[in-house]
Amino acid sequence: MNRLIAKLGRLSPVGEQRWAACIAQDAPPTRSVLRAHAEIHAWGRDCFSTAGPVDPVVGIGWQLHSSATTDLPDGVYAEIREHSASQSWTLRVDPLGIQTLLAMPDGDGWVVTTSPNWLRQFVARRLALTSVGMHQLLAFGFSPAGTTPFAEVIRVPPGGQIELQPSQSPQVQAGESFRESIDPEWDSLETAIPQMQTLLEQAVLQRINGQPTVGLYLSGGLDSSAVAVTLRNLGIRTQAFTLDFGEASVERDDAECIAAHLGIPIERVPVNAESIAAILPELVAGLELPFGDAVTGPQWFLGQAARQFGLCDVFNGEGGDQLLGGWTNKPMIAAELYGQLSREDAYLQAFHRFLGLEDRFYTPEFLADLGSARDCRPVLAQWVHAETATTFLHRMRLTDLMVKGCGNILPRMHAIGNALGLRVHAPLMDRTFTQFALSIPPGMKLRGATEKVILRQWLQQSLPERITQRRKTGMCVPITWWLLAEKSEWWRELLLGRESRLLRGWLRRDALERLCAGMNEPNEVRIRRVGERLWTLIQLEWWLRQGQERSPWERSE
């Protein structure tokens, strides 16, 4: 897939180069090569270049328009607009934050890119990390939407824009926001289900790029099952893939049941501790930014399997949890009813990383530099109290969508696809479908203890009760088993050895040694949290070794 890098310089009244952009697939251009592409605003198979008096637009994605970018049906785009009259540029990205667009001052102008790795190569130096950025990576497992872990580097927020002008500080503007608007037309399942089915079919069709066969990541859960049923109903030839964790597999048999019921061929994709260790450097380099969820490695193998089948377009079921009811519903409702925690504190409990463990794990220097910025509640405040929603459940859906969806799930999905040469599509996160999900009553998402009511009711027409009534399990990556029970040693040397970057000013050795020994937190009974925290550190450590700046107080072990 294509990546963009652009150098925006000072505007000149006549004739001189004002900016240059290059879109390529393999490697970033040098400064001299980039200068040679002045006024070539886009080139390549998936690119569109405007001409004439219209402000130049650079767009990258699976479908491109020279008019308003909001016409893009799935919103996967990054955009640079040049405004000659005001001598400025506007940077924008899609409202779901799928595309990453970064800007960094460089001499008398700005470097703008969709690739953090290209940014580092172009400026020919390491990018300095901030304490706040590292804390967010350790707390959430990813950089929240609109943020970066780098000093000087700014990131366009989902649906937002950044105005760049010579010799002025960048102006970051809030983005286009999804809004809850309950539509009386969808107040019954009899009317809402056909509309949901129609919108999902439209979302799938808009993402078909003329390929004879598409791929499908089939987990066995309701969300990917809904996409599988849609592909079958549309008559689209599909090759499904499901993860195989051997004896630790939880959803594999359900995925194969669904595929057999729908007549879709399915391929098992084996993943184990050794295979994860083998691809770790390639995985971290391909992601470009850290993503600490243990599903990241298995998702990489799904992408590799799809490429080995010669596929270019793959579908998944991402978005169902965020839009139609997911993990955080029940604990958040309990906290709201009994008033034991603020909404922010209750939601933060869904991140089982290092929030609340800072005093135990962070070095004194790290803590001192972090100061009051260790408080992550402001990241959530605009969503858990969103004025664009009127019901509590929809505020939680917006929070899930904008925090986990836009900050983690979608950019991670896009990064893996980009690295492997795949277009990975999440039709449940189509913009029109997303707005529809915010227009149906909360009772269609959660009724008693039953989540995703509308999806379950629809799928009962097409799938066995074993699938439609199953309890949600998630991908259930056996990361703790892989790291502890199988006595793997490679990661211990990675985290505790002499070359450990995390131990050079960021984390305390005694706390890290206890974690590596499999010791859980005193108030935590779920052993899987140990593996989740270890995986967060493993991918972060490798990312630090692949060229990031050292901590300001780094010391040798």
Side-chain angles (χ1 to χ4, degrees):
M1 297 292 105
N2 291 325
R3 295 178 175 88
L4 161 75
I5 190 161
K7 175 63 188 290
L8 311 182
R10 291 182 180 276
L11 291 178
S12 172
V14 191
E16 296 183 16
Q17 176 183 316
R18 297 179 298 192
W19 71 290
C22 183
I23 294 181
Q25 293 182 340
D26 300 321
T30 63
R31 290 174 181 267
S32 59
V33 170
L34 187 60
R35 282 195 294 270
H37 285 287
E39 306 305 326
I40 299 178
H41 305 300
W43 60 274
R45 184 184 60 188
D46 296 326
C47 303
F48 181 87
S49 179
T50 63
V54 182
D55 280 342
V57 176
V58 172
I60 57 176
W62 68 273
Q63 186 173 351
L64 300 136
H65 295 261
S66 59
S67 59
T69 51
T70 51
D71 292 339
L72 285 168
D74 73 346
V76 183
Y77 65 85
E79 177 188 75
I80 302 173
R81 282 185 183 269
E82 178 187 10
H83 307 291
S84 301
S86 60
Q87 297 191 353
S88 65
W89 298 270
T90 299
L91 313 183
R92 296 179 62 201
V93 298
D94 57 272
L96 287 169
I98 302 173
Q99 189 66 257
T100 296
L101 191 58
L102 307 174
M104 180 180 181
D106 181 56
D108 61 354
W110 292 82
V111 177
V112 178
T113 182
T114 60
S115 168
N117 288 350
W118 279 25
L119 180 60
R120 189 182 309 107
Q121 293 179 52
F122 189 80
V123 299
R125 59 184 171 88
R126 291 176 175 179
L127 303 179
L129 297 175
T130 66
S131 294
V132 174
M134 274 293 287
H135 174 53
Q136 290 178 337
L137 291 173
L138 289 163
F140 295 104
F142 56 88
S143 293
T147 71
T148 82
F150 309 116
E152 297 187 277
V153 181
I154 56 176
R155 181 178 179 181
V156 184
Q161 63 184 39
I162 293 178
E163 300 290 339
L164 300 178
Q165 293 185 347
S167 305
Q168 295 188 24
S169 299
Q171 301 298 313
V172 181
Q173 299 181 18
E176 175 183 344
S177 179
F178 293 99
R179 180 176 297 273
E180 177 191 23
S181 179
I182 304 299
D183 191 335
E185 187 175 357
W186 318 127
D187 62 359
S188 72
L189 289 171
E190 288 72 22
T191 58
I193 286 178
Q195 178 68 1
M196 180 183 69
Q197 182 177 356
T198 297
L199 292 177
L200 187 52
E201 289 177 352
Q202 291 175 356
V204 168
L205 289 172
Q206 287 169 341
R207 290 158 175 78
I208 297 297
N209 291 284
Q211 301 294 324
T213 303
V214 301
L216 170 66
Y217 299 155
L218 189 57
S219 69
L222 292 177
D223 306 329
S224 60
S225 296
V227 179
V229 169
T230 302
L231 290 167
R232 192 278 309 269
N233 291 348
L234 292 171
I236 297 170
R237 185 185 301 172
T238 304
Q239 171 64 53
F241 302 89
T242 193
L243 291 165
D244 182 4
F245 299 141
E247 295 180 357
S249 296
V250 174
E251 296 189 305
R252 179 193 62 200
D253 294 344
D254 286 335
E256 292 179 338
C257 171
I258 295 164
H261 192 80
L262 298 176
I264 296 174
I266 189 167
E267 181 79 8
R268 290 185 179 184
V269 180
V271 184
N272 55 43
E274 290 73 21
S275 61
I276 290 287
I279 58 96
L280 185 61
E282 181 185 10
L283 169 66
V284 173
L287 289 170
E288 301 201 50
L289 291 171
F291 292 94
D293 197 316
V295 305
T296 307
Q299 287 179 340
W300 184 271
F301 281 101
L302 286 172
Q304 284 187 330
R307 289 300 293 154
Q308 289 168 3
F309 269 71
L311 301 177
C312 295
D313 291 276
V314 182
F315 289 82
N316 63 31
E318 299 284 17
D321 286 337
Q322 287 70 42
L323 296 174
L324 300 175
W327 289 106
T328 55
N329 280 330
K330 296 167 188 174
M332 287 296 298
I333 290 173
E336 188 76 5
L337 287 174
Y338 296 104
Q340 298 172 328
L341 296 170
S342 69
R343 289 179 182 174
E344 292 91 335
D345 287 331
Y347 193 87
L348 286 172
Q349 290 187 345
F351 296 95
H352 306 288
R353 299 300 187 273
F354 295 91
L355 276 171
L357 305 179
E358 296 90 346
D359 291 335
R360 189 149 43 247
F361 278 88
Y362 292 6
T363 64
E365 298 95 331
F366 187 7
L367 284 170
D369 197 56
L370 189 59
S372 62
R374 66 189 290 178
D375 184 1
C376 290
R377 287 174 293 184
V379 175
L380 309 176
Q382 63 176 316
W383 305 117
V384 296
H385 303 290
E387 296 181 357
T388 54
T390 58
T391 63
F392 174 73
L393 187 63
H394 276 168
R395 286 193 178 96
M396 295 307 100
R397 298 302 98 235
L398 278 172
T399 306
D400 269 357
L401 177 65
M402 302 309 296
V403 176
K404 294 182 178 179
C406 299
N408 180 31
I409 294 171
L410 288 172
R412 181 185 66 207
M413 174 193 83
H414 185 71
I416 291 176
N418 211 32
L420 295 175
L422 286 170
R423 289 183 290 263
V424 186
H425 308 294
L428 287 171
M429 282 187 166
D430 172 81
R431 292 177 60 198
T432 303
F433 189 92
T434 296
Q435 194 56 61
F436 166 77
L438 292 171
S439 72
I440 60 176
M444 291 187 185
K445 301 174 184 179
L446 182 66
R447 185 175 297 168
T450 302
E451 298 173 335
K452 304 178 185 176
V453 174
I454 186 173
L455 210 56
R456 291 180 191 274
Q457 290 290 323
W458 172 50
L459 292 177
Q460 284 177 0
Q461 306 168 21
S462 304
L463 295 175
E465 185 177 350
R466 161 187 171 181
I467 302 301
T468 60
Q469 299 304 315
R470 72 190 290 269
R471 180 177 64 88
K472 180 176 176 59
T473 61
M475 193 176 289
C476 293
V477 180
I479 189 67
T480 302
W481 171 265
W482 287 346
L483 296 177
L484 298 179
E486 296 189 4
K487 303 298 182 183
S488 300
E489 295 298 329
W490 61 270
W491 59 270
R492 288 184 173 87
E493 176 62 26
L494 183 74
L495 296 179
L496 297 173
R498 293 181 58 84
E499 299 302 317
S500 173
R501 297 291 294 275
L502 287 169
L503 288 177
R504 298 182 182 180
W506 297 112
L507 300 183
R508 293 174 47 174
R509 175 175 283 277
D510 57 345
L512 191 50
E513 286 178 342
R514 287 195 299 270
L515 181 63
C516 290
M519 297 177 64
N520 213 342
E521 292 304 305
N523 62 342
E524 181 59 75
V525 297
R526 298 170 183 171
I527 190 63
R528 74 170 184 262
R529 303 305 183 210
V530 173
E532 290 170 352
R533 292 186 178 108
L534 285 172
W535 174 255
T536 298
L537 297 182
I538 287 169
Q539 56 81 39
L540 185 53
E541 170 66 30
W542 203 271
W543 180 74
L544 289 170
R545 296 189 185 196
Q546 287 189 345
Q548 311 311 315
E549 187 61 278
R550 299 180 177 185
S551 65
W553 47 83
E554 180 166 330
R555 56 177 179 267
S556 300
E557 277 286 293

